[in-house]
Amino acid sequence: MKIDKTLIKQLSEYLDEFKLTEIEFTEKDTKIKVSKNNVSINNQTTPITQNAANLNDNTKKISKTSSGIEITSPIIGTAYHAPEPGAKKFVEVGKKIKKGDTVMIVEAMKTMNHVPSTADGIVKEVCVNDGQPVEFGQTILILE
């Protein structure tokens, strides 16, 4: 089987052009999947707005005193705290974690994407509930 480097390059360019984290191409018996992981750290505090105070009870809000290292969702999808229902959670408030540890899973298009910690620290706050939809760049965890 010959690998079409031009096609892979085009798919990689589409990732940047359309701000995607993953793209898959299938033709006959050939399947090519190109992905990249964009996890960012943001050391800024996030103030609560009047609208955020009116969110439904299914959404945890970042408190006014929240500051520290923010771990954000690399993609749009559904956040899960454990690898499967009833299993032990990846992280809990007060747990010490290291850079690279999986802190959550974000499911997008039936693909389970492990979200790694981008820094060492102690979990100060989990900002999303299990099974909650998340947006790209949304803070999902705050570390001290």
Side-chain angles (χ1 to χ4, degrees), residues 18 27 31-32 47 77 80-81 86 90 105-107 115 119 138:
F18 298 109
E27 185 179 306
K31 185 176 184 179
I32 299 173
Y80 294 106
H81 293 189
F90 292 113
I105 290 177
V106 177
E107 177 198 2
V115 179
Q138 178 180 346

Side-chain angles (χ1 to χ4, degrees), residues 5 8 10 24 31 37 52 54 68 79 83 90-91 93 96 98 105 108 111 130:
K5 293 178 185 177
I8 293 172
Q10 279 182 316
E24 192 172 298
K31 185 176 184 179
N37 188 3
N54 295 329
F90 292 113
V91 295
V93 174
K96 188 173 186 176
K98 294 185 179 187
I105 290 177
T111 300
D130 192 41

Side-chain angles (χ1 to χ4, degrees), residues 45-63:
T45 58
T46 305
I48 284 189
T49 63
Q50 186 63 30
N51 292 338
N54 295 329
L55 293 174
N56 65 23
D57 292 338
N58 192 33
T59 306
K60 285 188 180 179
K61 296 167 279 298
I62 298 174
S63 67

